Structure formats: structure tokens, C-alpha cells
Amino acid sequence: MSKTPPGTAGGSLLASARNSAVTLLGTVRTRLALLGNELKEEKQRAIHLLLLSQLLAFCVALAVILLVAVLVVTFWEQRIIVLASATALFIAASGVAYAALQRAMQRPDRAFAASLAELSEDLHQLKRAAADESGAD
């Protein structure tokens, strides 16, 4: 029979469980901090895109009004042709602006890619550690 003091094996198991819990909580805290940073970045990006699109809409509208007014006054005799040409031009310009806005809104990577990569790595390490423990038994 083994002569180990009572509570030694249990104390070692409890200490191991405590260390595992501390490690797990530290990992969760780190991952939540990373997720929070990514949420903040996405919010700032969305606000930036919204402001750019509003600026674009305002500038296009003001330019249309002013340019068409100047051209109509300048070429009063051909005002119908001027108005039709201006309409076609600004429809084309709006299409170009729309395409530029679509390119700005596209993102090559997924949202929260860093968090997902870290969580995948954590899961891989946990599986490897579990396999090592079961192989040691």
C-alpha cells in the first residue's frame, strides 16, 4: 500500500483544476478583447462608408443642379439638347460612382477573421492535448 498523506492526491488534482480554470478564463478574456476590437473596427468602417456615400450624394446633386443651370443659360437656344445631354452624362457618372461605392464596401476577408482563426487554433491545441493525454494513459 502506498503511504501518501491524505488529501495530497486530491490537493494536486484541485490545484490542476484551478490552474486549468485560470488558463481557460485567461484565454476567454483574450478572445473577448479581440472580438471587441474587431467590433469597434467594423463600426468605424461602417460609419466611414456612410459618410462617404452621403458626401457623394450631396456633391453629385449639387453639381447636377449647378452645371445644368449654367449650360441651359449659356445655350438657351438649344436648352432641350443641353438638358438631355446633361441627363445622360449624370446618369453615367452616377453609375461610375455606384461602382466605386460597391468596390469600397467589398471586403476580401470575412468579418471577425482574426477571432475565428484564434478560436480554431485554440480548438486544435485542445484536441492535440486531449489526444496526448489519452495516449499517455
Side-chain angles (χ1 to χ4, degrees):
M1 259 180 100
S2 170
K3 292 260 191 178
T4 57
T8 304
S12 174
L13 184 62
L14 184 60
S16 176
R18 244 187 239 137
N19 288 339
S20 295
V22 167
T23 302
L24 179 65
L25 287 175
T27 302
V28 168
R29 181 178 168 266
T30 302
R31 299 307 176 244
L32 287 176
L34 179 60
L35 183 63
N37 287 339
E38 288 183 352
L39 283 172
K40 187 191 306 183
E41 288 175 5
E42 285 297 317
K43 178 183 169 187
Q44 289 174 345
R45 181 177 171 272
I47 290 171
H48 184 253
L49 286 174
L50 179 64
L51 291 175
L52 282 177
S53 64
Q54 288 177 344
L55 178 64
L56 172 69
F58 175 75
C59 290
V60 167
L62 188 61
V64 167
I65 292 168
L66 293 175
L67 183 63
V68 170
V70 167
L71 290 174
V72 167
V73 169
T74 302
F75 300 105
W76 186 254
E77 303 298 322
Q78 294 87 18
R79 62 186 171 264
I80 304 271
I81 295 171
V82 169
L83 287 172
S85 300
T87 301
L89 176 69
F90 287 108
I91 286 174
S94 297
V96 170
Y98 177 75
L101 185 61
Q102 287 292 351
R103 274 194 313 274
M105 290 189 325
Q106 289 177 351
R107 189 172 180 153
D109 57 344
R110 300 182 320 224
F112 311 115
S115 291
L116 291 173
E118 288 295 325
L119 288 173
S120 294
E121 179 62 26
D122 291 344
L123 182 61
H124 177 70
Q125 288 179 1
L126 285 172
K127 285 180 180 178
R128 188 172 57 213
D132 289 347
E133 285 179 11
S134 66
D137 290 342

